[in-house]
Every structure is written in C-alpha cells, then in structure tokens.
Amino acid sequence: MSQKLKIPTVRLRRLAAELRSLRSSAGLTRDEVLERTGINPATLYRVESAKANPQKRTLIALLDLYEAPPALRAEVLAMARGATEQGWLRPYHSELPQEYTAYISFENEAWEVRNYESLFVPGLLQTEDYVRAVIAGMLPQAGSREVDQRVQARVDRRAVLTKESPLRLRAVVDEAALHRAVGGREVMRAQMKHLLQMMDEPNVALQTIPFSAGAHPGMPGSFVLMTFADAEDPEIVYIDSMAGDLFLEAPVELRRYNAMFDDVMAQALSPSATADLITKLMKNNL
C-alpha cells in the first residue's frame, strides 16, 4: 500500500465538519463556492468529507468567503495544521488495510471505547499469543510477514490502556468467546489470566453475556463505539465484517448502536461475576 495514503483523524473530521457548518451558515452551495473562489469542486468535496486536508491558500479563501470571525478563523487554521497527525501510528502500519489503520488512529484519540464481541476476546485485551492464533486462523493464506505486521499492530494498540491519560474501555463479550480454545489450552489459560489482571485496572471493565441469557441484541455481530473527549467530535461506530469494514457516523446509527450496547450491558454479568466465571473456566477447563 502506498506510503502516501492519508488516514483520517479526529481533527481532520472536525475540520471538515466546521467547514461544512461555515458554508451552511453562509447560505452557499458548493457550486456557488466554486463560482466565487475558483476552488475545484472535487477539492471542496474531499475537504468537506475529511478525505483531504486543504492547502493553506484554499482554507484562507474559504474562511474569507464565509466571513469567519477572527477567533474561529484562528481555531480552524490551527486545526488544519494538526489535522493529519497520526498519533502513534508506526511506519509499517501503512502496509495494513486502510480501514484498519483508520481505526487505529481513531482509537488512539478516543476518550472511551465501548466494544461488544461475540466470538473473540476484545482486541485491546488480547495477549500476543492469542492474537497470533486468531490472525493465523482467520487468514490462513497470509504470509509470515503479514501475520507479524498484524500481530505487532494489535500489540501496539494496547498502549492506549496504559498511556498517561489512558483510554476508558467498556467491553462486553459473549460467553462463547471464553470457551473457544484459540491457540490451545496454554494460550487460553494465559489469556484468561491476562483478562483478570486487566480487570483490576480502573479504566477497564469487562462483562460477559452468559449462555443462560439466551438470545440477545448483540448476536448479529461485533461492533465498537468510540467517544472523544471533545463534545464537538462526533462518535464513531466501527464494524469489522467479512463484507468489509464500516465506519458509521449518522445520528440514527449512533443512537441504534448506543441503545444496543446498553441492552447487551444490561443482559451481561457484572464485572465481578464475570471475573468469577473466568476463574471457574480456568479451574474446570484450562
């Protein structure tokens, strides 16, 4: 994959939203902006959809046209200067799928992640051996280099839980994921121990939906809700599926997935009961 691939960031999304808002407040269509500034319509579309960071002269032309107040003008210009910073993304991550590197960037900037998993231990709580077994099993045709890159990326991601201002993780997992012997008994025993250790961290909460709960709203598949510290940065829903990865931002979708997560949490065991279940599984099966 090209080293020049641009991965969206929260700042780039916010910049795009601010420019759309300014154009709307000015009562202008994209065609009218083109007529009055000469900016290419494709360029304006890419800027307003967070697919490109505008050049400074383009941004100034837009701010002049929209008559942005001085304070807002300065804020937008500052936003643009840092809009493509990729946080902790490593150079080799440019070879990973675009959607996954975008996810990594968003996750690094998030304040809270709410993750429901039906078949796997949540990614941020996986041990390296578990990760390797998952990737090797899911991508049997992948070469050793690709597997190593994906494993390292997953391991690197865990740093968000221990950084200076750590990510808040709220995870719910179906009990089935705890029974699936990914990598064998020793790998699963180490994975269960790691879960218990991570559950002692104040920013991590893990709950399990037991088999006894029967059918529940999370059964169609896994999803992630990412919330950012600044209220101006909208939430994102991320879905990883065989049909492709999706990022959802529409308010109706956000409401639906927030409600779904609330529902699965309500049907899940408490964190302490989940710890008891994991301990019992280790004793009886591992």
Side-chain angles (χ1 to χ4, degrees):
M1 185 171 291
S2 172
Q3 294 287 339
K4 295 182 180 180
L5 178 65
K6 298 298 183 184
I7 303 304
T9 67
V10 171
R11 289 177 293 277
L12 189 58
R13 290 171 64 238
R14 186 172 178 188
L15 174 63
E18 192 65 62
L19 291 174
R20 291 195 305 269
S21 176
L22 283 168
R23 180 170 61 80
S24 177
S25 296
L28 297 171
T29 66
R30 285 179 180 157
D31 287 340
E32 289 171 333
V33 171
L34 170 62
E35 292 175 4
R36 298 170 66 171
T37 64
I39 294 173
N40 185 291
T43 297
L44 183 60
Y45 167 76
R46 288 177 59 77
V47 167
E48 289 193 351
S49 59
K51 297 182 183 297
N53 193 28
Q55 295 183 356
K56 187 175 181 179
R57 64 175 180 273
T58 298
L59 185 56
I60 289 175
L62 292 173
L63 293 172
D64 287 344
L65 177 61
Y66 302 152
E67 299 182 352
L72 180 57
R73 184 186 185 93
E75 181 182 346
V76 170
L77 287 169
M79 206 182 299
R81 285 194 292 272
T84 55
E85 292 177 4
Q86 290 299 321
W88 64 273
L89 281 173
R90 310 290 192 248
Y92 64 81
H93 288 175
S94 63
E95 299 182 30
L96 297 171
Q98 179 180 4
E99 292 84 357
Y100 187 41
T101 47
Y103 177 83
I104 291 173
S105 179
F106 289 142
E107 183 181 70
N108 185 59
E109 298 181 64
W111 169 74
E112 180 182 67
V113 162
R114 285 166 289 163
N115 182 193
Y116 166 72
E117 291 291 344
S118 57
L119 297 175
F120 306 103
V121 168
L124 289 174
L125 301 178
Q126 295 175 1
T127 65
E128 183 172 345
D129 287 339
Y130 183 96
V131 173
R132 188 170 295 278
V134 165
I135 293 173
M138 290 183 61
L139 301 173
Q141 306 303 319
S144 59
R145 184 170 182 270
E146 181 180 356
V147 171
D148 288 345
Q149 288 177 337
R150 287 175 176 264
V151 169
Q152 191 60 52
R154 183 71 57 86
V155 170
D156 286 348
R157 281 175 49 202
R158 299 183 307 188
V160 297
L161 296 176
T162 55
K163 61 184 181 179
E164 185 175 350
S165 296
L167 176 75
R168 175 184 165 99
L169 175 64
R170 296 294 175 264
V172 178
V173 62
D174 193 284
E175 185 177 346
L178 303 181
H179 286 269
R180 186 173 297 279
V182 173
R185 290 168 61 89
E186 292 306 313
V187 170
M188 285 304 295
R189 173 171 285 276
Q191 177 63 74
M192 295 300 104
K193 286 183 177 179
H194 182 66
L195 288 179
L196 293 175
Q197 292 169 355
M198 292 305 298
M199 290 173 72
D200 286 335
E201 298 298 324
N203 59 310
V204 176
L206 175 65
Q207 295 176 249
T208 302
I209 299 182
F211 288 143
S212 60
H216 61 81
M219 292 180 72
S222 305
F223 61 91
V224 178
L225 275 159
M226 287 180 278
T227 304
F228 303 92
D230 195 317
E232 296 298 319
D233 297 327
E235 288 182 317
I236 302 173
V237 174
Y238 174 73
I239 302 171
D240 180 3
S241 73
M242 293 295 290
D245 297 356
L246 295 174
F247 289 99
L248 306 176
E249 302 177 77
V252 64
E253 298 288 2
L254 294 175
R255 288 193 296 271
R256 184 161 71 94
Y257 278 92
N258 270 286
M260 195 182 306
F261 193 81
D262 288 344
D263 286 342
V264 296
M265 279 189 64
Q267 296 191 42
L269 301 173
S270 67
S272 61
T274 293
D276 291 342
L277 173 61
I278 292 172
T279 301
K280 180 179 178 181
L281 290 174
M282 290 178 64
K283 180 179 179 180
N284 294 342
N285 302 323
L286 300 175

